[in-house]
Amino acid sequence: MLVLVDYGMGNIRSVSKALEKVGFSPIITRDPDVVLRADALVVPGVGAFKDAVGNLKNLGLFSAILRHIEKVKPYLGICLGLQLLFEKSYEFGEEKGFGILEGEVILLPPQVKVPHIGWNQIWKTRESLLFEGIKDGDYFYFVHSYHVVPKRREVIATLTDYGVEFVSSVEYQKIFGLQFHPEKSQKLGLKLLENFKRIVYG
């Protein structure tokens, strides 16, 4: 059972449609009990980190998602779903995340235009089943102003250059986090979701 977590932050419908295109039958839910029964979770999101944490806690989803991850079940976080994996963010004041990965979420530097919107390239730092069939320099679609800064370099899966180099995806055990939006990234985005399906179902 693949569960798509709806906590009121953005583009659930487009993510669901993309998952359906690659053969998933996602269950969209705000029910913590359904999250706890999931074989795999997808947590998308667009907007502010502090609002996301507040919504998740109000719905009882924060602890349910954390328990899912701690059981080493597959997790795919998109945009905010990536950022929430880290210890804290400074977006509109300091706020704690899941703390699964060491590091923080900070604003892109002042020398670049924010938000970072549009197509940009990813560069792999390691071999990854999630990026199988995807080449260095391939383009994905981004919409964000903040980026993650992991303390441990080994969790970084891809980097992206936007006048400054930033982490565009992470991988740790069965946890995958993407700063870009696969559901907006056309064929390559679907290829990545197909790879996630193989990771989930073997």
Side-chain angles (χ1 to χ4, degrees), residues 155-179:
V155 305
I156 299 170
T158 65
L159 297 166
T160 293
D161 183 12
Y162 181 57
V164 61
E165 187 178 72
F166 69 88
V167 174
S168 48
S169 70
V170 300
E171 178 177 340
Y172 174 69
Q173 296 177 343
K174 293 185 180 179
I175 299 167
F176 304 91
L178 312 172
Q179 187 58 73

PDB file of all heavy atoms in Angstrom, residues 155-179:
ATOM      1  N   VAL A 155      24.997  11.195   2.628  1.00  0.00           N
ATOM      2  CA  VAL A 155      23.560  11.101   2.333  1.00  0.00           C
ATOM      3  C   VAL A 155      23.189  11.842   1.050  1.00  0.00           C
ATOM      4  O   VAL A 155      22.074  11.689   0.539  1.00  0.00           O
ATOM      5  CB  VAL A 155      22.688  11.625   3.496  1.00  0.00           C
ATOM      6  CG1 VAL A 155      23.031  10.916   4.787  1.00  0.00           C
ATOM      7  CG2 VAL A 155      22.757  13.136   3.648  1.00  0.00           C
ATOM      8  N   ILE A 156      24.106  12.631   0.519  1.00  0.00           N
ATOM      9  CA  ILE A 156      23.815  13.419  -0.692  1.00  0.00           C
ATOM     10  C   ILE A 156      23.789  12.501  -1.906  1.00  0.00           C
ATOM     11  O   ILE A 156      24.707  11.720  -2.128  1.00  0.00           O
ATOM     12  CB  ILE A 156      24.868  14.532  -0.884  1.00  0.00           C
ATOM     13  CG1 ILE A 156      24.856  15.497   0.309  1.00  0.00           C
ATOM     14  CG2 ILE A 156      24.614  15.290  -2.185  1.00  0.00           C
ATOM     15  CD1 ILE A 156      26.009  16.483   0.314  1.00  0.00           C
ATOM     16  N   ALA A 157      22.710  12.602  -2.702  1.00  0.00           N
ATOM     17  CA  ALA A 157      22.589  11.804  -3.921  1.00  0.00           C
ATOM     18  C   ALA A 157      22.866  12.626  -5.177  1.00  0.00           C
ATOM     19  O   ALA A 157      23.469  12.133  -6.124  1.00  0.00           O
ATOM     20  CB  ALA A 157      21.196  11.178  -4.011  1.00  0.00           C
ATOM     21  N   THR A 158      22.404  13.893  -5.197  1.00  0.00           N
ATOM     22  CA  THR A 158      22.678  14.770  -6.339  1.00  0.00           C
ATOM     23  C   THR A 158      22.918  16.196  -5.862  1.00  0.00           C
ATOM     24  O   THR A 158      22.429  16.617  -4.800  1.00  0.00           O
ATOM     25  CB  THR A 158      21.514  14.793  -7.360  1.00  0.00           C
ATOM     26  OG1 THR A 158      20.351  15.361  -6.753  1.00  0.00           O
ATOM     27  CG2 THR A 158      21.202  13.405  -7.899  1.00  0.00           C
ATOM     28  N   LEU A 159      23.653  16.933  -6.694  1.00  0.00           N
ATOM     29  CA  LEU A 159      23.895  18.360  -6.490  1.00  0.00           C
ATOM     30  C   LEU A 159      23.383  19.130  -7.705  1.00  0.00           C
ATOM     31  O   LEU A 159      23.269  18.580  -8.807  1.00  0.00           O
ATOM     32  CB  LEU A 159      25.387  18.625  -6.304  1.00  0.00           C
ATOM     33  CG  LEU A 159      26.044  17.994  -5.079  1.00  0.00           C
ATOM     34  CD1 LEU A 159      27.560  18.054  -5.195  1.00  0.00           C
ATOM     35  CD2 LEU A 159      25.582  18.678  -3.794  1.00  0.00           C
ATOM     36  N   THR A 160      23.098  20.409  -7.501  1.00  0.00           N
ATOM     37  CA  THR A 160      22.632  21.285  -8.581  1.00  0.00           C
ATOM     38  C   THR A 160      23.321  22.629  -8.442  1.00  0.00           C
ATOM     39  O   THR A 160      23.556  23.110  -7.329  1.00  0.00           O
ATOM     40  CB  THR A 160      21.097  21.438  -8.532  1.00  0.00           C
ATOM     41  OG1 THR A 160      20.495  20.179  -8.850  1.00  0.00           O
ATOM     42  CG2 THR A 160      20.597  22.482  -9.511  1.00  0.00           C
ATOM     43  N   ASP A 161      23.642  23.239  -9.585  1.00  0.00           N
ATOM     44  CA  ASP A 161      24.313  24.535  -9.601  1.00  0.00           C
ATOM     45  C   ASP A 161      23.302  25.623  -9.951  1.00  0.00           C
ATOM     46  O   ASP A 161      22.663  25.585 -11.002  1.00  0.00           O
ATOM     47  CB  ASP A 161      25.444  24.515 -10.635  1.00  0.00           C
ATOM     48  CG  ASP A 161      26.241  25.810 -10.657  1.00  0.00           C
ATOM     49  OD1 ASP A 161      26.076  26.623  -9.725  1.00  0.00           O
ATOM     50  OD2 ASP A 161      27.018  26.019 -11.605  1.00  0.00           O
ATOM     51  N   TYR A 162      23.165  26.585  -9.068  1.00  0.00           N
ATOM     52  CA  TYR A 162      22.295  27.743  -9.316  1.00  0.00           C
ATOM     53  C   TYR A 162      23.055  29.012  -8.902  1.00  0.00           C
ATOM     54  O   TYR A 162      22.632  29.777  -8.054  1.00  0.00           O
ATOM     55  CB  TYR A 162      20.989  27.584  -8.526  1.00  0.00           C
ATOM     56  CG  TYR A 162      19.993  28.709  -8.705  1.00  0.00           C
ATOM     57  CD1 TYR A 162      19.524  29.063  -9.971  1.00  0.00           C
ATOM     58  CD2 TYR A 162      19.511  29.415  -7.607  1.00  0.00           C
ATOM     59  CE1 TYR A 162      18.608  30.093 -10.128  1.00  0.00           C
ATOM     60  CE2 TYR A 162      18.590  30.439  -7.750  1.00  0.00           C
ATOM     61  CZ  TYR A 162      18.142  30.778  -9.017  1.00  0.00           C
ATOM     62  OH  TYR A 162      17.228  31.801  -9.186  1.00  0.00           O
ATOM     63  N   GLY A 163      24.229  29.181  -9.508  1.00  0.00           N
ATOM     64  CA  GLY A 163      25.109  30.254  -9.061  1.00  0.00           C
ATOM     65  C   GLY A 163      25.834  29.858  -7.795  1.00  0.00           C
ATOM     66  O   GLY A 163      26.903  30.372  -7.485  1.00  0.00           O
ATOM     67  N   VAL A 164      25.238  28.972  -7.052  1.00  0.00           N
ATOM     68  CA  VAL A 164      25.839  28.325  -5.889  1.00  0.00           C
ATOM     69  C   VAL A 164      25.431  26.859  -5.967  1.00  0.00           C
ATOM     70  O   VAL A 164      24.353  26.530  -6.468  1.00  0.00           O
ATOM     71  CB  VAL A 164      25.334  28.980  -4.582  1.00  0.00           C
ATOM     72  CG1 VAL A 164      23.823  28.847  -4.447  1.00  0.00           C
ATOM     73  CG2 VAL A 164      26.014  28.385  -3.370  1.00  0.00           C
ATOM     74  N   GLU A 165      26.297  25.986  -5.517  1.00  0.00           N
ATOM     75  CA  GLU A 165      25.976  24.561  -5.528  1.00  0.00           C
ATOM     76  C   GLU A 165      25.113  24.224  -4.312  1.00  0.00           C
ATOM     77  O   GLU A 165      25.416  24.634  -3.198  1.00  0.00           O
ATOM     78  CB  GLU A 165      27.271  23.746  -5.493  1.00  0.00           C
ATOM     79  CG  GLU A 165      27.075  22.248  -5.668  1.00  0.00           C
ATOM     80  CD  GLU A 165      28.409  21.512  -5.665  1.00  0.00           C
ATOM     81  OE1 GLU A 165      29.026  21.413  -4.585  1.00  0.00           O
ATOM     82  OE2 GLU A 165      28.834  21.062  -6.740  1.00  0.00           O
ATOM     83  N   PHE A 166      24.011  23.489  -4.552  1.00  0.00           N
ATOM     84  CA  PHE A 166      23.173  23.060  -3.426  1.00  0.00           C
ATOM     85  C   PHE A 166      22.775  21.595  -3.614  1.00  0.00           C
ATOM     86  O   PHE A 166      22.867  21.034  -4.710  1.00  0.00           O
ATOM     87  CB  PHE A 166      21.934  23.960  -3.271  1.00  0.00           C
ATOM     88  CG  PHE A 166      20.917  23.834  -4.371  1.00  0.00           C
ATOM     89  CD1 PHE A 166      19.908  22.882  -4.308  1.00  0.00           C
ATOM     90  CD2 PHE A 166      20.963  24.673  -5.471  1.00  0.00           C
ATOM     91  CE1 PHE A 166      18.961  22.766  -5.307  1.00  0.00           C
ATOM     92  CE2 PHE A 166      20.024  24.566  -6.491  1.00  0.00           C
ATOM     93  CZ  PHE A 166      19.025  23.611  -6.401  1.00  0.00           C
ATOM     94  N   VAL A 167      22.331  20.995  -2.528  1.00  0.00           N
ATOM     95  CA  VAL A 167      21.927  19.588  -2.538  1.00  0.00           C
ATOM     96  C   VAL A 167      20.517  19.489  -3.111  1.00  0.00           C
ATOM     97  O   VAL A 167      19.572  20.080  -2.570  1.00  0.00           O
ATOM     98  CB  VAL A 167      21.972  19.009  -1.110  1.00  0.00           C
ATOM     99  CG1 VAL A 167      21.410  17.587  -1.090  1.00  0.00           C
ATOM    100  CG2 VAL A 167      23.399  19.031  -0.579  1.00  0.00           C
ATOM    101  N   SER A 168      20.378  18.737  -4.196  1.00  0.00           N
ATOM    102  CA  SER A 168      19.062  18.617  -4.836  1.00  0.00           C
ATOM    103  C   SER A 168      18.372  17.290  -4.558  1.00  0.00           C
ATOM    104  O   SER A 168      17.187  17.135  -4.883  1.00  0.00           O
ATOM    105  CB  SER A 168      19.174  18.843  -6.345  1.00  0.00           C
ATOM    106  OG  SER A 168      20.228  18.093  -6.920  1.00  0.00           O
ATOM    107  N   SER A 169      19.083  16.329  -3.956  1.00  0.00           N
ATOM    108  CA  SER A 169      18.418  15.115  -3.477  1.00  0.00           C
ATOM    109  C   SER A 169      19.303  14.405  -2.466  1.00  0.00           C
ATOM    110  O   SER A 169      20.525  14.585  -2.448  1.00  0.00           O
ATOM    111  CB  SER A 169      18.061  14.162  -4.624  1.00  0.00           C
ATOM    112  OG  SER A 169      19.215  13.574  -5.176  1.00  0.00           O
ATOM    113  N   VAL A 170      18.645  13.602  -1.620  1.00  0.00           N
ATOM    114  CA  VAL A 170      19.364  12.814  -0.618  1.00  0.00           C
ATOM    115  C   VAL A 170      18.858  11.380  -0.637  1.00  0.00           C
ATOM    116  O   VAL A 170      17.751  11.096  -1.106  1.00  0.00           O
ATOM    117  CB  VAL A 170      19.199  13.389   0.817  1.00  0.00           C
ATOM    118  CG1 VAL A 170      19.722  14.809   0.898  1.00  0.00           C
ATOM    119  CG2 VAL A 170      17.746  13.314   1.279  1.00  0.00           C
ATOM    120  N   GLU A 171      19.679  10.478  -0.124  1.00  0.00           N
ATOM    121  CA  GLU A 171      19.299   9.075   0.005  1.00  0.00           C
ATOM    122  C   GLU A 171      19.968   8.507   1.255  1.00  0.00           C
ATOM    123  O   GLU A 171      21.165   8.693   1.468  1.00  0.00           O
ATOM    124  CB  GLU A 171      19.747   8.289  -1.228  1.00  0.00           C
ATOM    125  CG  GLU A 171      19.438   6.806  -1.156  1.00  0.00           C
ATOM    126  CD  GLU A 171      19.829   6.057  -2.425  1.00  0.00           C
ATOM    127  OE1 GLU A 171      19.988   6.704  -3.476  1.00  0.00           O
ATOM    128  OE2 GLU A 171      19.987   4.835  -2.344  1.00  0.00           O
ATOM    129  N   TYR A 172      19.164   7.820   2.070  1.00  0.00           N
ATOM    130  CA  TYR A 172      19.683   7.187   3.283  1.00  0.00           C
ATOM    131  C   TYR A 172      18.793   5.997   3.596  1.00  0.00           C
ATOM    132  O   TYR A 172      17.591   6.168   3.812  1.00  0.00           O
ATOM    133  CB  TYR A 172      19.693   8.181   4.445  1.00  0.00           C
ATOM    134  CG  TYR A 172      20.069   7.574   5.774  1.00  0.00           C
ATOM    135  CD1 TYR A 172      21.376   7.133   6.011  1.00  0.00           C
ATOM    136  CD2 TYR A 172      19.126   7.433   6.780  1.00  0.00           C
ATOM    137  CE1 TYR A 172      21.727   6.564   7.233  1.00  0.00           C
ATOM    138  CE2 TYR A 172      19.469   6.874   8.004  1.00  0.00           C
ATOM    139  CZ  TYR A 172      20.768   6.434   8.230  1.00  0.00           C
ATOM    140  OH  TYR A 172      21.110   5.867   9.424  1.00  0.00           O
ATOM    141  N   GLN A 173      19.383   4.799   3.598  1.00  0.00           N
ATOM    142  CA  GLN A 173      18.606   3.569   3.772  1.00  0.00           C
ATOM    143  C   GLN A 173      17.492   3.553   2.736  1.00  0.00           C
ATOM    144  O   GLN A 173      17.765   3.544   1.540  1.00  0.00           O
ATOM    145  CB  GLN A 173      18.100   3.454   5.217  1.00  0.00           C
ATOM    146  CG  GLN A 173      19.228   3.314   6.234  1.00  0.00           C
ATOM    147  CD  GLN A 173      18.734   3.270   7.663  1.00  0.00           C
ATOM    148  OE1 GLN A 173      17.607   3.631   7.979  1.00  0.00           O
ATOM    149  NE2 GLN A 173      19.598   2.819   8.560  1.00  0.00           N
ATOM    150  N   LYS A 174      16.216   3.565   3.161  1.00  0.00           N
ATOM    151  CA  LYS A 174      15.111   3.594   2.194  1.00  0.00           C
ATOM    152  C   LYS A 174      14.424   4.961   2.147  1.00  0.00           C
ATOM    153  O   LYS A 174      13.291   5.089   1.690  1.00  0.00           O
ATOM    154  CB  LYS A 174      14.086   2.499   2.539  1.00  0.00           C
ATOM    155  CG  LYS A 174      14.637   1.097   2.344  1.00  0.00           C
ATOM    156  CD  LYS A 174      13.570   0.045   2.583  1.00  0.00           C
ATOM    157  CE  LYS A 174      14.146  -1.355   2.378  1.00  0.00           C
ATOM    158  NZ  LYS A 174      13.132  -2.405   2.637  1.00  0.00           N
ATOM    159  N   ILE A 175      15.155   5.971   2.598  1.00  0.00           N
ATOM    160  CA  ILE A 175      14.650   7.345   2.590  1.00  0.00           C
ATOM    161  C   ILE A 175      15.208   8.067   1.371  1.00  0.00           C
ATOM    162  O   ILE A 175      16.420   8.087   1.151  1.00  0.00           O
ATOM    163  CB  ILE A 175      15.096   8.104   3.846  1.00  0.00           C
ATOM    164  CG1 ILE A 175      14.562   7.423   5.106  1.00  0.00           C
ATOM    165  CG2 ILE A 175      14.648   9.560   3.793  1.00  0.00           C
ATOM    166  CD1 ILE A 175      15.229   7.928   6.361  1.00  0.00           C
ATOM    167  N   PHE A 176      14.314   8.677   0.607  1.00  0.00           N
ATOM    168  CA  PHE A 176      14.708   9.453  -0.563  1.00  0.00           C
ATOM    169  C   PHE A 176      14.045  10.822  -0.468  1.00  0.00           C
ATOM    170  O   PHE A 176      12.846  10.919  -0.182  1.00  0.00           O
ATOM    171  CB  PHE A 176      14.271   8.755  -1.855  1.00  0.00           C
ATOM    172  CG  PHE A 176      14.794   7.356  -1.983  1.00  0.00           C
ATOM    173  CD1 PHE A 176      14.051   6.279  -1.513  1.00  0.00           C
ATOM    174  CD2 PHE A 176      16.035   7.108  -2.547  1.00  0.00           C
ATOM    175  CE1 PHE A 176      14.536   4.980  -1.606  1.00  0.00           C
ATOM    176  CE2 PHE A 176      16.528   5.813  -2.647  1.00  0.00           C
ATOM    177  CZ  PHE A 176      15.774   4.749  -2.174  1.00  0.00           C
ATOM    178  N   GLY A 177      14.813  11.877  -0.709  1.00  0.00           N
ATOM    179  CA  GLY A 177      14.269  13.227  -0.673  1.00  0.00           C
ATOM    180  C   GLY A 177      14.714  14.011  -1.890  1.00  0.00           C
ATOM    181  O   GLY A 177      15.888  13.979  -2.258  1.00  0.00           O
ATOM    182  N   LEU A 178      13.770  14.703  -2.505  1.00  0.00           N
ATOM    183  CA  LEU A 178      14.027  15.442  -3.743  1.00  0.00           C
ATOM    184  C   LEU A 178      13.670  16.914  -3.547  1.00  0.00           C
ATOM    185  O   LEU A 178      12.555  17.220  -3.107  1.00  0.00           O
ATOM    186  CB  LEU A 178      13.167  14.897  -4.884  1.00  0.00           C
ATOM    187  CG  LEU A 178      13.142  13.380  -5.087  1.00  0.00           C
ATOM    188  CD1 LEU A 178      12.097  13.007  -6.125  1.00  0.00           C
ATOM    189  CD2 LEU A 178      14.527  12.883  -5.498  1.00  0.00           C
ATOM    190  N   GLN A 179      14.593  17.817  -3.883  1.00  0.00           N
ATOM    191  CA  GLN A 179      14.247  19.233  -3.848  1.00  0.00           C
ATOM    192  C   GLN A 179      13.438  19.622  -5.087  1.00  0.00           C
ATOM    193  O   GLN A 179      12.624  20.540  -5.050  1.00  0.00           O
ATOM    194  CB  GLN A 179      15.515  20.096  -3.755  1.00  0.00           C
ATOM    195  CG  GLN A 179      15.238  21.567  -3.539  1.00  0.00           C
ATOM    196  CD  GLN A 179      14.437  21.829  -2.281  1.00  0.00           C
ATOM    197  OE1 GLN A 179      14.931  21.717  -1.185  1.00  0.00           O
ATOM    198  NE2 GLN A 179      13.153  22.166  -2.439  1.00  0.00           N
TER     199      GLN A 179
END
